[in-house]
């Protein structure tokens, strides 16, 4: 039965993604090219696509799934993408290295979790010492959250075996007993209890309450050359975020279609995410606190100011 679940998980989550790596649509050179992580955090983007809100407002938008935040940051920096929905950790790392990008919108708070096998002997994060743990990548916010939680129990990186892997493979790797635990973003957290291959040890909101997660980034070049299109795009994001908050069932259906997952999984997943859009002072301060944490942990080498991180001209709130 466990092998059957692994096969089903592979078919439902992995195979549909393999065709998603088309990058730039040469037939639509005027389209706004948007990259996003294949996760529920980008629900507002999926809502806008499904409701054809971009077209109704005169925008051409081309979206592309990309599996890591660092790749999204690099693609925005190079101009291969115009806009990215991406985690705050690779964003801050990019800006600290001098990459000319800005955060122009907020996307979500929290929405990740640590998962272990059903009936695991791991009943507390303290039990993760000397265990093998999968994450979506070294530059992911999930790895930062994991190490921050482990520090509470005096567990260092030398005390665990951390494996970075493609997020689509993470749940099946736990099901195959190749790792003892993993940390990921939704829906790859909720899919484990739904498929009976794992249980949630702790949600990220219990690691750092209300922590910032994903943001919208763009290049300074795109801001300067396309301010009107960007303004319209971000207004749609703000309105779509409100739709996500007020229409959870409809949103779950749209996310299911976009990610080729499961409606019941999505209704579970969306409950663990706080959707936001404004880069107001409250959100900026939240990011600066998280940045200080990353600095203390060695993930960043310098402090950044709000002006270096954000452009509040559009969704400053």
């Amino acid at each position: 039965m466990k092998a059957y679940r692994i096969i089903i998980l592979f078919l439902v989550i992995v195979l549909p993604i393999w065709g998603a790596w088309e990058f730039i649509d040469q037939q639509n050179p005027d389209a706004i090219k948007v990259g996003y992580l294949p996760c529920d955090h980008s629900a507002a983007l999926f809502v806008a696509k499904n409701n054809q809100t971009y077209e109704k407002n005169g925008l051409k938008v081309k979206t592309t799934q990309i599996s890591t935040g660092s790749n999204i940051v690099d693609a925005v920096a190079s101009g291969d993408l115009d806009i990215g929905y991406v985690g705050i950790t690779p964003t801050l790392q990019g800006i600290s290295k001098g990459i000319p990008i800005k955060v122009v919108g907020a996307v979500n708070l929290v929405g990740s979790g640590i998962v272990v096998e059903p009936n695991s002997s791991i009943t507390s994060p303290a039990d993760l010492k000397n265990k093998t743990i999968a994450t979506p990548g070294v530059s992911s916010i999930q790895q930062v959250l994991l190490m921050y939680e482990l520090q509470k129990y005096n567990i260092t990186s030398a005390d665990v075996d951390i494996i970075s892997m493609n997020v689509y493979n993470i749940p099946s790797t736990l099901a195959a007993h190749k790792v003892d635990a993993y940390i990921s973003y939704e829906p790859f957290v909720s899919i484990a209890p739904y498929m009976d291959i794992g249980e949630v040890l702790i949600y990220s909101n219990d690691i750092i309450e209300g922590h910032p997660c994903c943001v919208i980034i763009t290049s300074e070049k795109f801001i300067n050359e396309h301010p009107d299109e960007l303004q319209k795009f971000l207004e749609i994001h703000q309105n779509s975020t409100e739709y996500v908050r007020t229409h959870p069932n409809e949103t779950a259906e749209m996310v299911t279609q976009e990610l080729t997952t499961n409606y019941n999984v999505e209704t579970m997943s969306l409950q663990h995410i706080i959707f936001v859009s404004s880069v107001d002072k409250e959100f900026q301060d939240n990011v600066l606190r998280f940045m200080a944490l990353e600095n203390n942990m060695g993930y960043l080498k310098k402090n950044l100011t709000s002006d270096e991180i954000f452009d509040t001209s559009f969704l400053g709130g």
Side-chain angles (χ1 to χ4, degrees), residues 4-300:
Y4 173 77
R5 285 198 295 268
I6 294 173
I7 293 170
I8 294 299
L9 186 67
F10 179 82
L11 292 173
V12 170
I13 296 296
V14 181
L15 286 181
I17 304 301
W18 282 352
W21 275 86
E22 57 178 316
F23 205 66
I24 302 174
D25 188 348
Q26 301 294 346
Q27 295 181 346
N28 292 288
D30 297 329
I32 298 173
K33 301 180 291 293
V34 182
Y36 66 94
L37 296 169
C39 66
D40 293 3
H41 300 184
S42 301
L45 175 67
F46 306 153
V47 164
K49 285 180 60 180
N50 186 84
N51 290 339
Q52 299 184 320
T53 314
Y54 298 123
E55 294 88 338
K56 293 173 183 176
N57 285 272
L59 292 182
K60 295 179 181 179
V61 173
K62 173 66 177 178
T63 63
T64 303
Q65 284 186 14
I66 300 178
S67 63
T68 69
S70 57
N71 285 341
I72 293 177
V73 170
D74 290 343
V76 171
S78 68
D80 288 334
L81 291 175
D82 299 312
I83 291 171
Y85 281 63
V86 64
I88 191 61
T89 293
T91 297
L92 292 174
Q93 290 172 350
I95 295 173
S96 71
K97 294 174 184 176
I99 295 177
I101 57 174
K102 293 287 188 182
V103 174
V104 291
V107 175
N108 75 291
L109 311 176
V110 303
S112 299
I114 299 175
V115 178
V116 297
E117 291 190 66
N119 304 312
S120 173
S121 62
I122 302 170
T123 59
S124 158
D127 298 326
L128 291 170
K129 187 174 183 178
N130 299 321
K131 297 297 191 292
T132 301
I133 309 166
T135 81
V138 174
S139 65
S140 67
I141 187 173
Q142 286 73 33
Q143 184 147 331
V144 175
L145 290 165
L146 172 67
M147 296 312 303
Y148 180 80
E149 180 65 16
L150 293 180
Q151 282 185 359
K152 299 175 185 177
Y153 303 91
N154 298 315
I155 300 173
T156 70
S157 58
D159 298 319
V160 289
D161 182 16
I162 297 178
I163 301 175
S164 298
M165 64 175 59
N166 189 304
V167 69
Y168 316 117
N169 298 332
I170 289 178
S172 58
T173 302
L174 180 72
H177 313 296
K178 294 181 179 179
V179 297
D180 300 297
Y182 70 79
I183 184 167
S184 189
Y185 41 71
E186 293 286 11
F188 300 98
V189 179
S190 293
I191 198 169
Y194 180 79
M195 298 290 293
D196 194 28
I197 60 169
E199 56 188 31
V200 180
L201 179 68
I202 186 173
Y203 288 100
S204 63
N205 194 45
D206 296 316
I207 297 175
I208 303 175
E209 185 177 1
H211 70 81
C213 190
C214 288
V215 293
I216 298 177
I217 62 170
T218 189
S219 65
E220 295 178 2
K221 182 175 185 289
F222 190 79
I223 292 172
N224 294 330
E225 295 182 358
H226 302 278
D228 294 338
E229 292 95 328
L230 181 58
Q231 177 71 55
K232 193 174 294 186
F233 182 93
L234 292 173
E235 287 175 355
I236 291 170
H237 169 71
Q238 187 172 47
N239 293 334
S240 296
T241 299
E242 182 60 27
Y243 182 97
V244 169
R245 289 196 289 248
T246 56
H247 297 75
N249 294 333
E250 294 87 346
T251 298
E253 182 60 42
M254 295 178 201
V255 174
T256 298
Q257 294 174 13
E258 181 70 26
L259 299 182
T260 322
T261 50
N262 177 285
Y263 175 79
N264 293 324
V265 170
E266 297 303 345
T267 56
M268 293 169 58
S269 301
L270 292 171
Q271 296 177 46
H272 303 294
I273 307 168
I274 300 171
F275 293 96
V276 293
S277 58
S278 174
V279 286
D280 56 15
K281 188 177 186 304
E282 180 181 4
F283 186 80
Q284 292 176 52
D285 289 345
N286 197 359
V287 168
L288 292 177
R289 287 191 296 271
F290 196 82
M291 179 192 66
L293 177 154
E294 290 196 63
N295 270 310
N296 290 336
M297 295 176 65
Y299 283 94
L300 292 173

